[in-house]
Amino acid sequence: MSAQTFFIGFFGLAAVWFGIVVFRTFSMVRSALALLFSQTALGAMFLSMQAEFLGVLQIMMMATEMSIMAIFMVMFMMDPGGLGEMDMTHQKRLSLSAGIVSFVAAVAVAVFVDWGPVAHTAPDAAQQTVDLGLELLGRSMLIFETAGVTILTAMIAATAVAIQPATWRSKHEH
Amino acid sequence: MSIDLLLALITGAALFGVGIYGALSQTNLVMIMMGVELMLAGAMVNLVAFWRYLHPDNPAGQMFVLIVMTVMAIEMAVGFGVAIARFRAKGSVEMEEAVELKG
């Protein structure tokens, strides 16, 4: 077994394990941190697969995203520390069945499909970044620009939804 | 088939399965969003693996990963916007209490 295979398996296992921990702990802050570790392990897995740019991007993005998520968890949960051991789940059996069925189906597809010849080498990190940059500003420019505009729209929409309505303000001020 | 590709695809499948369990079983909006994040992470692993082991010379594969990351960011932004609106209106983000979408 090569070192690359070992690290892909190790970080993959870590990502799945921390993903499971997200829903097993009662503490919501620990849930957010477990999700952060899961996503970081995924970033390390990308690095093991020689996708350097995506690996670094994943780790940087998720570190920020999950820190914000942890703050929201503390703001909105009734029991963020988890000391009350509140059960905040429903339809557990159905959810578990759906999760297992989708996992088995996806693994079956992965195992039984003939994926064709596998490439053993990938372009080096610098070449990958050059290629991706040319792709983003060339053939895929419209998709890239659409993604940018969609994020802007989402930011405006999220602010519009979250802003205090004037009726609410007047009701609570008087 | 390459063992590395198989490992990556199995990891993606496992993350997707855990994500579906979380999205369906949790009653809190933020926890449901965490489940959706895990499902998207599963899709992302598959995309990276397909790019690396099947088409490493085509950067469009990496482009798809960037789009999934965008979807993750949008999901977080809009989800938290809805969570703030819901918390302000009803004082909780428990989805079992949300039988209607009215604010």
Side-chain angles (χ1 to χ4, degrees):
Chain A
M1 187 170 64
S2 71
Q4 191 178 24
T5 307
F6 171 78
F7 281 114
I8 289 172
F10 175 75
F11 288 122
L13 201 63
V16 174
W17 172 248
F18 282 116
I20 293 169
V21 170
V22 170
F23 302 112
R24 284 196 62 185
T25 174
F26 287 108
S27 162
M28 296 305 132
V29 179
R30 280 185 202 153
S31 283
L33 286 176
L35 191 57
L36 168 60
F37 292 145
S38 173
Q39 302 282 5
T40 308
L42 222 52
M45 193 180 168
F46 293 171
L47 290 176
S48 310
M49 286 196 278
Q50 292 171 276
E52 279 88 354
F53 178 75
L54 294 177
V56 173
L57 189 67
Q58 165 81 358
I59 293 170
M60 281 168 61
M61 253 191 84
M62 292 306 150
T64 327
E65 204 173 308
M66 296 310 143
S67 313
I68 296 169
M69 199 167 221
I71 295 168
F72 272 83
M73 294 299 266
V74 177
M75 277 164 64
F76 289 145
M77 301 299 287
M78 284 179 280
D79 180 23
L83 297 174
E85 301 203 350
M86 280 174 67
D87 184 27
M88 287 187 295
T89 54
H90 60 173
Q91 52 185 14
K92 258 185 166 172
R93 189 171 292 183
L94 171 79
S95 316
L96 200 60
S97 314
I100 291 171
V101 167
S102 56
F103 169 69
V104 171
V107 169
V109 170
V111 171
F112 294 116
V113 168
D114 176 23
W115 296 106
V118 169
H120 293 288
T121 55
D124 61 46
Q127 189 57 45
Q128 274 180 41
T129 314
V130 169
D131 290 345
L132 185 60
L134 291 174
E135 175 75 23
L136 290 180
L137 298 177
R139 206 167 59 118
S140 301
M141 190 162 189
L142 188 63
I143 305 168
F144 188 50
E145 290 297 320
T146 310
V149 174
T150 313
I151 288 186
L152 180 66
T153 314
M155 281 164 63
I156 295 168
T159 313
V161 168
I163 211 159
Q164 257 183 10
T167 49
W168 187 91
R169 214 176 305 144
S170 58
K171 202 167 71 181
H172 286 75
E173 277 171 3
H174 302 297
Chain B
M1 183 169 61
S2 153
I3 185 85
D4 293 3
L5 176 60
L6 188 63
L7 275 175
L9 294 183
I10 289 174
T11 303
L15 284 173
F16 191 79
V18 174
I20 281 196
Y21 166 76
L24 291 179
S25 69
Q26 301 298 309
T27 57
N28 190 284
L29 178 59
V30 186
M31 291 299 284
I32 294 171
M33 281 164 61
M34 286 193 171
V36 177
E37 291 271 321
L38 278 174
M39 287 161 70
L40 288 169
M44 212 155 57
V45 179
N46 282 14
L47 288 171
V48 173
F50 287 141
W51 164 78
R52 167 62 186 83
Y53 296 107
L54 301 182
H55 302 286
D57 294 324
N58 189 353
Q62 295 202 4
M63 176 70 205
F64 279 112
V65 181
L66 293 183
I67 296 295
V68 175
M69 282 187 182
T70 310
V71 172
M72 280 172 123
I74 290 171
E75 179 243 327
M76 288 274 290
V78 177
F80 282 135
V82 172
I84 290 175
R86 176 83 197 158
F87 193 82
R88 184 172 288 135
K90 306 285 179 188
S92 134
V93 287
E94 285 297 307
M95 286 298 103
E96 287 210 315
E97 297 163 13
V99 289
E100 57 182 25
L101 284 174
K102 194 163 169 268

